[in-house]
Amino acid sequence: MTHEKDACTRGCADSFDYDVVLIGAGMGGLYQLYRLKEAGYRVLALEAAEGVGGVWHWNRYPGARLDSEAYSYGYTFSNALQEEWNWSEHFAGQPELLRYFNYVADRFDLRRHIRFGNLVTAAHYLEDEQGWAVTTDKGKRYTCRYVIAAVGPLTLPSLPPFPGRDSFAGETCHTSRWPDREISFAGKSVAVIGTGATGVQVIQEVAKTAERLIVFQRTPNYCAPLNNAPIAADEQPTLKARYPEIAAACRSSNGWFMYDTDPRSIFDLADEEREVFLEKLYNDPGIGIWKANFHDIGTDEAANTVVSDFIRRKIRERVRDPDVAERLVPKTFGFGTRRVPLETRYYEVYNQANVQLVDLTETPIDRITPTSIVTTGDEFEVDMIIYATGFDAVTGSFNRIDIRGVGGVKLKDRWESGPSTFLGVHAAGFPNFFMPGGPLASLGNFTPAMEYSVDWVMDLLGYMRDHGFAYVDVAAAAEQAWTDLVRDRQSGLLIGRVKSWITGFNSNSEGTEEFRVLLNTGSAKDYRQSCDTVRRNGYPEFEFSKVESPQSALSPCLIPRH
Ligand code: N01
């Protein structure tokens, strides 16, 4: 175990190596790092990957692409950045996003604060020092006053434990660990397992060149067109003039998107008007069909059925073979109660002669052999298997770290029957530990949501600095009340009754056979209101204290330089 300390050039008396150890240099982590650096904290970011970008670093699979408008997903903290960066498409692809995050890292000189290739394995609270010790898989150990875990909700891949899985002799890829090299599908028989948002994107791409594509589907989804288009050079100025308005819309909407739920009931409209409304959303760019739809489709079965039937009809119109179409039509849950994948000619793929759909509800996968996938109905010889099987979502990225708070209590144990937090950021008994965008926080369009959450953390740190505090913990009662509130909110929504990663399913790991509340699936407006009230009232749910011994005195480095 080696020990490193960032040299403080301003004569700080703190015994910690850093003021803050930040875990993760993805989209949220980079913004957090920028804010900490600007505020004068001595910060070290630890990142498992060899580069920045988080999901956009790992999910390099062909077809990976945004489905929120790029200019609503890009950072808003710097006008200069917004002016300099021109998005080439309304819904940018993974290579462009990765370039963007690398540009941000360089533009704001963030890279020198990041140690890449360091997977954090443990974070232990040091009760005497009121700080933390963080260790990595490279044998490094760092001490700090605060830990900020920006580990992302969709980080840890979920791989089905099919018998014989590792015996497969051909190439195997999980979409979220796609290798950084060109993979050709030409002349190959390729299997894709999984038809979530990722599966849909990768299937569209593989179908273009594979000799044969076999899609193994367990649950069909309600997919809707992305309607992407390039952004012409002469469109940029008009678009950029709208950036402040777009940012404001994201920060005031229900799902952090640039459009908002329609406050009317679906039944306020006559049948023909409703059809025109839905048709428009279906043909508009982006995820408006889900996020700008009538408010009651998320709570009322009858309202939801109208939209579900609309999308079902579209699927049947687009897929030529009626038997295949029926297998692609969701029947056991309503529209928008699972994540709606956005697609580009996804359904037309099933009209191609080189594509075959295997319905795993009829014939489940029995085993994998060195050359094939064997279902209970058939054997499929393949050259390559692509697992688009999702993530151990939200808690997975925390649970893989040995996080211990006061009294050595493990966060993983505390969350055994589901995560419990205050505002998604704080856990009682884990002082000076923050999780921007963590479990039970409000997520949707990720960057605006993360910017809000990071700003929340910075405001709290600023409050502490202003009052000379160096210790903060949230009251257990406040955590419980928030957890109950989020559970209540979810139980009133149709989404809370359907199995998906959002409700804690599909992690292919043990102990996930019951519904869980992982995120604040209620309105982001309510979420912001809750956070704003706590801040405005002076954080009454928190316990603060000043440092107890001169040894652990507040570092002068916590005093901002400007
Ligand atoms: O993961 P998923 P994802 N046997 O969990 C199937 C974001 N995202 O990576 O539905 C057979 O949704 C599983 O089947 P079932 C977005 O938020 C964003 O696709 O559990 N099949 C399902 O079909 C999204 O929601 C973008 O029955 C198995 C699939 O694998 C989130 O990431 C793009 C199986 C997993 O679907 C996760 O999406 C992509 C098994 N044992 C993703 N285990 C953007 O556009 C799992 N499956 C920005």
Side-chain angles (χ1 to χ4, degrees):
M1 180 82 57
T2 58
H3 191 89
E4 289 183 7
K5 185 177 169 95
D6 209 22
C8 175
T9 52
R10 285 170 292 129
C12 65
D14 199 310
S15 58
F16 296 119
D17 302 334
Y18 293 92
D19 298 326
V20 183
V21 168
L22 169 65
I23 311 176
M27 170 260 292
L30 282 183
Y31 177 52
Q32 183 72 73
L33 178 54
Y34 166 81
R35 290 291 317 269
L36 289 164
K37 180 175 165 285
E38 287 297 291
Y41 292 89
R42 292 176 305 139
V43 51
L44 173 71
L46 297 169
E47 168 56 58
E50 292 297 343
V52 298
V55 289
W56 299 108
H57 172 93
W58 294 108
N59 290 255
R60 295 166 186 265
Y61 61 86
R65 178 175 295 286
L66 269 181
D67 56 13
S68 36
E69 287 73 0
Y71 31 88
S72 76
Y73 185 89
Y75 293 119
T76 61
F77 67 82
S78 161
N79 291 337
L81 172 65
Q82 289 188 314
E83 210 35 62
E84 289 159 19
W85 188 267
N86 291 327
W87 294 105
S88 71
E89 295 176 274
H90 288 274
F91 302 92
Q94 178 271 338
E96 185 169 4
L97 284 150
L98 197 54
R99 280 199 302 278
Y100 175 73
F101 287 111
N102 274 291
Y103 180 81
V104 170
D106 293 330
R107 169 77 173 72
F108 298 100
D109 192 21
L110 303 177
R111 221 176 274 280
R112 69 194 168 88
H113 300 278
I114 308 172
R115 300 265 196 289
F116 293 104
N118 271 276
L119 175 70
V120 171
T121 50
H124 292 176
Y125 184 60
L126 309 170
E127 293 188 33
D128 292 342
E129 293 90 339
Q130 294 178 317
W132 286 81
V134 178
T135 50
T136 80
D137 65 342
K138 295 289 183 299
K140 306 275 191 197
R141 179 178 186 273
Y142 306 96
T143 60
C144 54
R145 174 72 73 196
Y146 303 104
V147 171
I148 302 181
V151 292
L154 300 168
T155 303
L156 205 59
S158 157
L159 207 51
F162 298 131
R165 187 190 68 203
D166 298 335
S167 71
F168 185 66
E171 188 153 21
T172 302
C173 288
H174 191 284
T175 42
S176 77
R177 290 293 179 270
W178 199 268
D180 189 9
R181 62 182 160 80
E182 203 65 34
I183 293 185
S184 167
F185 307 114
K188 289 184 187 161
S189 273
V190 181
V192 175
I193 304 175
T195 52
T198 301
V200 165
Q201 289 185 333
V202 79
I203 287 163
Q204 292 165 180
E205 279 308 303
V206 177
K208 289 178 185 167
T209 51
E211 186 172 301
R212 187 170 177 229
L213 166 63
I214 308 160
V215 176
F216 293 83
Q217 171 193 271
R218 191 164 66 180
T219 310
N221 279 304
Y222 294 91
C223 310
L226 177 64
N227 296 315
N228 190 18
I231 303 174
D234 60 0
E235 278 181 75
Q236 298 283 355
T238 332
L239 190 57
K240 287 191 180 183
R242 289 182 51 220
Y243 278 11
E245 167 208 328
I246 290 169
C250 291
R251 283 203 165 213
S252 62
S253 70
N254 266 327
W256 307 95
F257 287 92
M258 54 187 270
Y259 24 72
D260 209 353
T261 327
D262 194 307
R264 295 171 297 175
S265 161
I266 199 166
F267 299 115
D268 288 346
L269 275 70
D271 289 359
E272 310 80 66
E273 281 179 297
R274 198 186 296 143
E275 189 67 16
V276 171
F277 179 91
L278 293 178
E279 195 67 45
K280 177 170 180 336
L281 285 183
Y282 194 76
N283 293 307
D284 274 350
I287 209 162
I289 186 78
W290 190 21
K291 295 294 173 182
N293 216 312
F294 299 102
H295 79 92
D296 51 352
I297 70 161
T299 49
D300 181 80
E301 297 267 10
N304 184 281
T305 301
V306 175
V307 184
S308 302
D309 284 346
F310 175 87
I311 303 286
R312 289 176 183 138
R313 209 166 60 235
K314 291 289 182 192
I315 299 170
R316 290 182 178 116
E317 282 167 14
R318 290 173 59 183
V319 179
R320 280 203 291 268
D321 181 328
D323 291 336
V324 176
E326 280 320 299
R327 292 188 172 94
L328 290 165
V329 169
K331 301 192 177 77
T332 57
F333 60 96
F335 174 81
T337 61
R338 292 160 54 99
R339 166 59 144 86
V340 175
L342 295 191
E343 45 85 23
T344 305
R345 300 189 58 73
Y346 172 66
Y347 288 112
E348 286 70 18
V349 156
Y350 296 96
N351 298 333
Q352 293 179 203
N354 64 333
V355 179
Q356 181 180 0
L357 179 68
V358 177
D359 187 336
L360 297 179
T361 61
E362 295 166 358
T363 52
I365 292 174
D366 179 63
R367 63 187 187 281
I368 311 274
T369 76
T371 56
S372 67
I373 296 178
V374 183
T375 69
T376 53
D378 211 341
E379 176 165 8
F380 301 87
E381 296 278 338
V382 287
D383 302 308
M384 180 176 183
I385 301 178
I386 298 176
Y387 289 92
T389 46
F391 300 88
D392 185 354
V394 186
T395 47
S397 38
F398 290 93
N399 286 344
R400 74 167 160 174
I401 305 172
D402 177 16
I403 300 169
R404 299 187 196 191
V406 174
V409 171
K410 292 186 182 181
L411 192 65
K412 188 177 177 187
D413 293 346
R414 279 275 310 279
W415 289 356
E416 204 179 350
S417 55
S420 168
T421 68
F422 183 59
L423 303 175
V425 183
H426 312 273
F430 294 80
N432 294 3
F433 181 84
F434 311 121
M435 304 169 279
L440 311 188
S442 166
L443 293 177
N445 184 21
F446 272 79
T447 310
M450 283 305 291
E451 281 190 334
Y452 183 87
S453 209
V454 167
D455 290 348
W456 161 270
V457 170
M458 293 309 297
D459 286 352
L460 181 63
L461 286 175
Y463 175 87
M464 293 176 68
R465 193 172 52 200
D466 291 347
H467 292 78
F469 296 137
Y471 167 98
V472 61
D473 196 5
V474 70
E479 178 191 297
Q480 189 60 52
W482 178 253
T483 304
D484 292 344
L485 180 73
V486 175
R487 284 188 181 146
D488 279 358
R489 281 181 183 158
Q490 183 158 305
S491 68
L493 301 172
L494 299 178
I495 204 169
R497 298 178 216 158
V498 175
K499 290 185 178 181
S500 76
W501 69 262
I502 295 168
T503 48
F505 291 89
N506 181 35
S507 76
N508 287 307
S509 53
E510 284 173 17
T512 55
E513 286 312 307
E514 57 196 49
F515 281 88
R516 292 190 177 202
V517 179
L518 297 180
L519 294 171
N520 180 4
T521 45
S523 158
K525 286 179 188 161
D526 293 339
Y527 177 74
R528 286 186 295 265
Q529 200 174 39
S530 299
C531 295
D532 292 346
T533 305
V534 173
R535 185 168 26 205
R536 205 172 37 245
N537 291 343
Y539 305 99
E541 293 81 359
F542 292 89
E543 183 198 338
F544 296 99
S545 71
K546 303 197 180 203
V547 285
E548 281 168 3
S549 68
Q551 269 226 314
S552 60
L554 192 66
S555 162
C557 287
L558 295 182
I559 299 163
R561 274 170 282 182
H562 37 260

